[in-house]
Amino acid sequence: MALQQLPLYEGVITRRLLRQLGEIHRPGELLLSVYLDMAPSRWGDAEGVRIAAKNSLRQLHEHIRALPITNGERQRLLRETDLIQEVATLAAGRRNLRSLACFMASALGVAYALPLPWPTFSRHFLEERFVLWPLHQVLDQSDPFGLILVDKDEARLYLGYLGQVEEMTYIFDEVPPKIRIPDAFGELEFRRKQVVYFHRHFGRVAYTALRLWEQEPFRHLIIGGLWEVLPQFERHLHRYLRERIVARWEVSVHAPKEELQRRLEEEEKRLLERQAELIWHELAEAPPERQARGPERVFRALWEQRVGYLLVQPNTHYHGHVCTQCQRLHLSGGPCIECGGSVAHVPDIYEEAVRVALAQSAHVRYWTAQALEECDGIAALLRY
Ligand SMILES: [Zn+2]
């Protein structure tokens, strides 16, 4: 049956999903992978993003029309392109959305549109397998979080990644009801039983969390619950998980997802800032040839494909230029200083630098700090 609609994916991009996409293989049939640059800083506003997506998909249309394939396959691919167009139109201007990664295999009922908070170049691939490497370059930028909310009879396990939060498991263990205790010995026995139940519950939650980590290896862990419960629970956690704890929250097991999402975003921001500081320290202590401070040196290093880590001040919106021949970035206009080619104007040259750095598998951190301001808001630690 033909696919009617392509919904925007709202969950966490899990290992499981990536594995599923990676395993799909249709010998003799073309699978469509499409990446769309949806960054408002590049296209002005939501309407600009829509137009850019449309133009990019029009090129794909023409490409599909020219392919030496059967008419049935051509119709399928054109239909898939139209569905991508629809979801891109709807998603344009969405908060934190800077690119869209779409994977279509209608014959198998597989169709994903993954919203991503990092910029990418628009491009499409028609191969027997999905092309996932541009997606991996984005996923590489942040770490998945595990989140365990626990109380004495319930627990919820979440994954958080790239601004999304998804509940993975819910656990409920019945605790013996509080009954009227006729004598002191009975009371003692009841308390002992209750303690045993709590420990069994915490043990089960801890084991489930370990299993989740094995399947979806999160780098950082947050635990949440009542203050008096958390230390008791923490003792049950496997050392692998205990060592990953980055925060403890006083929060109800029934806290709404929006609250968790907001708090996780704050936590992630703090962590990314700490990582940016570490990168800066490493940069400052590196030999001079591995340091690039300021746009001119960073753009050269990007052109030479030497950038390992890029630090960028957010929301700068400096205008700039990109060479139409060798893609070298420049602050000023005029012919390219590397190849003499003509240059095209870009409205946000630092955002362009981020896009280029990601495409080179560099790590990028947005960072607001005096030290970076002294480098005009951009610096890089080079690979060699
Ligand atoms: Zn050039």
Side-chain angles (χ1 to χ4, degrees):
M1 204 183 80
L3 212 61
Q4 296 304 316
Q5 207 195 0
L6 173 62
L8 195 65
Y9 186 73
E10 299 282 356
V12 166
I13 300 173
T14 56
R15 278 280 177 103
R16 194 176 150 194
L17 172 61
L18 294 172
R19 220 172 15 243
Q20 188 203 343
L21 291 174
E23 281 166 2
I24 294 175
H25 183 208
R26 304 278 287 179
E29 204 175 290
L30 295 174
L31 299 182
L32 183 56
S33 312
V34 175
Y35 293 85
L36 288 175
D37 175 1
M38 307 274 288
S41 62
R42 166 92 167 229
W43 308 112
D45 56 10
E47 195 45 38
V49 169
R50 277 185 203 111
I51 293 168
K54 208 170 174 177
N55 288 338
S56 174
L57 292 168
R58 188 176 299 139
Q59 284 176 19
L60 174 58
H61 247 264
E62 283 162 21
H63 180 69
I64 293 169
R65 286 191 187 284
L67 283 174
I69 50 175
T70 65
N71 200 36
E73 195 170 12
R74 191 182 330 278
Q75 290 312 317
R76 171 185 55 90
L77 290 171
L78 290 174
R79 172 83 188 122
E80 289 177 345
T81 306
D82 290 343
L83 290 174
I84 294 173
Q85 165 83 60
E86 279 171 30
V87 73
T89 303
L90 285 174
R94 193 181 137 109
R95 183 176 164 263
N96 284 340
L97 174 82
R98 283 151 97 193
S99 59
L100 208 55
C102 303
F103 305 98
M104 309 292 282
S106 333
L108 299 171
V110 172
Y112 285 99
L114 311 177
L116 301 171
W118 291 85
T120 57
F121 290 106
S122 287
R123 51 183 144 204
H124 53 256
F125 303 89
L126 281 159
E127 297 183 13
E128 287 183 352
R129 290 178 185 276
F130 289 129
V131 175
L132 298 172
W133 58 262
L135 175 63
H136 280 290
Q137 284 168 340
V138 168
L139 298 182
D140 219 24
Q141 300 307 316
S142 17
D143 305 322
F145 281 75
L147 170 60
I148 307 172
L149 303 188
V150 63
D151 69 15
K152 289 189 172 177
D153 57 0
E154 282 178 290
R156 288 178 202 274
L157 273 57
Y158 295 85
L159 278 181
Y161 194 25
L162 296 166
Q164 299 287 347
V165 173
E166 187 177 342
E167 184 176 328
M168 306 304 285
T169 313
Y170 170 75
I171 295 171
F172 174 71
D173 286 308
E174 204 160 352
V175 179
K178 208 159 177 77
I179 40 157
R180 278 171 57 90
I181 306 297
D183 58 80
F185 178 74
E187 168 85 27
L188 218 61
E189 179 59 16
F190 169 74
R191 288 231 177 113
R192 192 192 63 78
K193 256 189 186 161
Q194 246 192 349
V195 168
V196 170
Y197 271 98
F198 292 155
H199 283 289
R200 199 173 292 162
H201 170 61
F202 290 153
R204 192 156 95 93
V205 176
Y207 175 71
T208 311
L210 186 67
R211 293 275 298 139
L212 176 63
W213 173 75
E214 283 165 355
Q215 286 155 10
E216 299 290 339
F218 47 82
R219 179 105 180 256
H220 315 286
L221 177 62
I222 297 167
I223 57 172
L226 294 174
W227 281 142
E228 61 264 31
V229 169
L230 287 187
Q232 296 180 46
F233 167 65
E234 211 172 307
R235 282 199 294 273
H236 290 268
L237 276 177
H238 192 284
R239 180 174 56 83
Y240 292 168
L241 298 190
R242 257 197 332 255
E243 286 170 353
R244 282 164 206 281
I245 295 177
V246 288
R248 294 166 182 85
W249 295 349
E250 178 144 44
V251 65
S252 155
V253 137
H254 303 287
K257 196 177 141 186
E258 296 71 37
E259 183 189 337
L260 302 177
Q261 201 150 353
R262 182 179 50 75
R263 293 186 70 163
L264 196 71
E265 254 175 52
E266 284 165 19
E267 213 67 65
E268 188 171 19
K269 196 163 159 255
R270 265 197 290 277
L271 196 85
L272 292 175
E273 261 164 36
R274 271 208 301 277
Q275 290 175 349
E277 276 165 35
L278 289 174
I279 294 168
W280 177 260
H281 283 298
E282 208 179 315
L283 186 150
E285 281 164 23
E289 66 273 15
R290 286 190 57 215
Q291 299 184 20
R293 297 172 188 242
E296 292 302 348
R297 297 201 53 192
V298 170
F299 295 168
R300 167 168 279 264
L302 282 171
W303 186 76
E304 293 169 337
Q305 308 241 354
R306 288 168 62 199
V307 172
Y309 293 89
L310 181 71
L311 294 173
V312 192
Q313 205 172 312
N315 309 316
T316 46
H317 304 296
Y318 298 139
H319 289 237
H321 296 83
V322 55
C323 174
T324 53
Q325 282 181 39
C326 74
Q327 273 71 50
R328 166 73 145 91
L329 306 180
H330 302 82
L331 271 186
S332 48
C336 171
I337 59 167
E338 308 290 351
C339 75
S342 61
V343 297
H345 173 258
V346 280
D348 190 338
I349 191 71
Y350 283 9
E351 191 77 352
E352 198 62 25
V354 169
R355 212 174 268 122
V356 175
L358 288 181
Q360 291 178 16
S361 302
H363 286 93
V364 181
R365 291 286 174 268
Y366 290 99
W367 193 40
T368 307
Q370 182 62 34
L372 195 60
E373 261 172 55
E374 284 164 17
C375 310
D376 293 322
I378 194 162
L381 174 62
L382 310 188
R383 288 188 233 262
Y384 55 90

